[in-house]
Amino acid sequence: MKNIVITGGAGFIGSHVVRLFVNKYPEYNVICLDKLTYAGNLANLKDIENKPNYKFVKMDICDFEAFYQLMQNEKVDGIIHLAAESHVDRSIKDPFTFAQTNVMGTLALLQAAKLYWESLPEKYEGKRFYHISTDEVYGALELTHPEGIEPPFTTTASSSEHHLAYGKDFFYEDTKYNPHSPYSAAKASSDHFVRAYHDTYGMPTIVTNCSNNYGPYQFPEKLIPLFINNIRHRKPLPVYGKGENVRDWLYVEDHARAIDLIFHKGKTAETYNIGGFNEWKNIDLIKVMIKTVDSILGNPEGSSLELITYVTDRAGHDLRYAIDSTKLQKELGWEPSLQFEEGIEKTVRWYLENQEWMDNVTSGDYQKYYETMYCGK
Ligand code: NAD
Ligand code: TYD
């Protein structure tokens, strides 16, 4: 495959995927396609923007005509689709935008790809439509513990030696979809469309469902960058409910490596779950962030604990997510490269050392980058 479109490439995960592909595959033509919503930031790609195998295209994935043109002009062989509205809290306030982008946008890409690929003599040979989804489509798991053991307990997963778990159940590839938020409902719907294009038209599709990502370049509306920035500026840390909800965290570069592996080696029409067997109760994770930021900034230990502010819970707040990624580990040999303690320290340091990036995002200045860099060129 030569000509690859990565949608949502100016976002958090997308920028890591674009960077990996541009650096690792000089022979590929990597097209980063992004509408540059509030979540898209071209400064995330500053280090690779002048590479000869990289191109940025500002486009809305809902624009079927424009995307069909792009497929033809660029002779696109592969699509890695990350563009989406991605924040649960926004989806509660504005579900229509989520349905439009996540469902209709995905459908527009599928249909344009279908028309273009079916017009070629080789048809779908050597082509791939890879859709990036989330574990949130599976719904929420219970917090259940083996008799007499206080959570979290250490268990042995079939694939990884030991991991912390807050319950006996996990999300598997065949777990029934049961989305609760408008965000996860829209992602679930888009997953169904992708699979339908395989089953109905024979399009070579792949879907992966990943757990919560963390790392550099995440928009500071999400828990980890928001809280690191608030601790730095000694602002309140709004903990939803009692902070008892459990999330399964994966370092973003490990997700990008999994995407690379699956894009090249994954089996058509398969689903792979991606996760690091790394569950954290929100309040415990917040305390780790406080400790790490305080220690790096030289604040007295624990001095930022007073910033913790319990606020009204998120509506329909899913209690626990936990991914079983045994299939990916066994079949394709992927495993996370970072221990969580290492990953969180690296992440905290990145946000503290890249205050200019954070200031540009919080001030809105990052949205001028496109005009400065691309308009009039
Ligand atoms: P993000 O919000 O940081 O980035 C989304 C990107 O998509 C932005 O650059 C935005 O400008 C672009 N975009 C939005 N609407 C668009 C449109 N109509 N046309 C073109 N571009 C558009 O999101 P993220 O956290 O990087 O997530 C990327 C993908 O991974 C999403 O599909 C998300 O559902 C999935 N995912 C995210 C996580 C996570 O923890 N962040 C976990 C699992 C799966
Ligand atoms: P988030 O980063 O929004 O990811 P998701 O909702 O996709 O899991 O939130 C992670 C967890 O942190 C989730 O349980 C909600 C909680 N949370 C807070 O307690 N306070 C906050 O300000 C935010 C943004 C999230």
Side-chain angles (χ1 to χ4, degrees):
M1 280 188 221
K2 284 273 166 54
N3 303 314
I4 317 288
V5 169
I6 300 177
T7 73
F12 165 47
I13 303 171
S15 62
H16 289 274
V17 178
V18 168
R19 177 174 298 99
L20 177 66
F21 272 66
V22 166
N23 287 331
K24 188 168 171 188
Y25 302 108
E27 71 279 20
Y28 287 4
N29 167 30
V30 179
I31 301 155
C32 168
L33 185 158
D34 204 294
K35 181 184 174 183
L36 299 182
T37 67
Y38 79 92
N41 183 353
L42 284 174
N44 297 357
L45 294 162
K46 228 173 173 171
D47 54 323
I48 52 126
E49 69 191 1
N50 292 320
K51 297 256 179 169
N53 61 337
Y54 167 79
K55 185 192 277 185
F56 174 71
V57 175
K58 188 171 190 285
M59 190 184 287
D60 186 339
I61 55 164
C62 300
D63 189 341
F64 165 80
E65 293 293 340
F67 188 67
Y68 181 56
Q69 274 296 318
L70 181 88
M71 291 290 295
Q72 291 178 307
N73 295 346
E74 298 287 348
K75 301 185 172 38
V76 175
D77 304 296
I79 298 164
I80 304 179
H81 175 36
L82 296 108
E85 290 291 338
S86 68
H87 190 40
V88 174
D89 293 329
R90 285 182 190 253
S91 82
I92 294 168
K93 294 196 187 99
D94 176 20
F96 281 96
T97 305
F98 281 69
Q100 176 65 15
T101 295
N102 299 1
V103 185
M104 296 308 290
T106 301
L107 184 54
L109 297 182
L110 285 164
Q111 183 63 9
K114 171 187 180 291
L115 291 185
Y116 171 62
W117 287 336
E118 286 185 353
S119 74
L120 301 174
E122 75 271 22
K123 309 265 181 229
Y124 289 120
E125 190 64 42
K127 308 293 185 273
R128 179 147 277 184
F129 189 109
Y130 178 1
H131 177 64
I132 310 300
S133 192
T134 167
D135 59 358
E136 304 192 25
V137 297
Y138 297 125
L141 295 164
E142 298 284 313
L143 296 187
T144 53
H145 312 290
E147 206 63 25
I149 301 181
E150 280 300 304
F153 62 89
T154 307
T155 183
T156 305
S158 42
S159 58
S160 84
E161 280 289 285
H162 294 288
H163 66 275
L164 296 181
Y166 282 86
K168 285 177 278 193
D169 295 332
F170 294 89
F171 295 137
Y172 303 97
E173 282 81 1
D174 59 0
T175 297
K176 194 167 138 274
Y177 272 32
N178 188 18
H180 296 132
S181 72
Y183 163 64
S184 53
K187 289 297 290 186
S189 173
S190 65
D191 296 6
H192 292 318
F193 269 108
V194 173
R195 296 190 178 107
Y197 267 65
H198 170 268
D199 296 349
T200 309
Y201 309 111
M203 183 180 285
T205 60
I206 287 199
V207 177
T208 55
N209 299 82
C210 189
S211 60
N212 284 59
N213 284 215
Y214 71 98
Y217 301 115
Q218 187 167 31
F219 196 83
E221 62 186 351
K222 305 275 170 67
L223 179 75
I224 290 184
L226 176 72
F227 277 38
I228 294 172
N229 198 39
N230 283 10
I231 300 167
R232 183 191 184 117
H233 293 292
R234 301 210 59 76
K235 287 196 202 155
L237 307 174
V239 180
Y240 297 162
K242 294 185 184 149
E244 296 279 298
N245 303 65
V246 171
R247 295 292 181 265
D248 184 357
W249 294 94
L250 181 68
Y251 192 66
V252 62
E253 286 178 4
D254 281 331
H255 188 191
R257 280 193 308 107
I259 290 173
D260 174 25
L261 184 66
I262 294 163
F263 182 69
H264 291 97
K265 303 265 168 62
K267 280 197 215 135
T268 293
E270 289 286 322
T271 296
Y272 298 90
N273 278 352
I274 310 173
F277 292 109
N278 178 44
E279 295 176 49
W280 284 81
K281 213 172 245 204
N282 287 344
I283 192 65
D284 294 334
L285 170 60
I286 290 161
K287 286 179 183 164
V288 171
M289 285 196 276
I290 288 176
K291 196 169 172 202
T292 315
V293 178
D294 277 348
S295 134
I296 295 173
L297 293 182
N299 297 335
E301 195 178 331
S303 60
S304 299
L305 286 168
E306 66 190 30
L307 301 174
I308 291 177
T309 310
Y310 291 95
V311 298
T312 310
D313 208 355
R314 172 187 277 173
H317 197 173
D318 285 335
L319 193 52
R320 172 176 170 248
Y321 301 145
I323 274 278
D324 185 302
S325 58
T326 306
K327 174 176 171 181
L328 175 62
Q329 302 204 1
K330 287 215 161 128
E331 288 186 14
L332 298 183
W334 172 89
E335 55 179 38
S337 66
L338 278 189
Q339 292 294 319
F340 187 64
E341 289 68 17
E342 238 181 299
I344 200 74
E345 162 136 18
K346 215 172 146 170
T347 303
V348 168
R349 281 191 189 280
W350 190 87
Y351 285 102
L352 296 180
E353 283 163 11
N354 288 273
Q355 194 57 41
E356 196 186 336
W357 179 92
M358 183 61 88
D359 291 345
N360 279 333
V361 172
T362 47
S363 69
D365 278 356
Y366 70 108
Q367 287 173 318
K368 297 177 194 145
Y369 195 76
Y370 173 72
E371 276 71 25
T372 319
M373 281 306 296
Y374 289 87
C375 298
K377 259 195 178 176

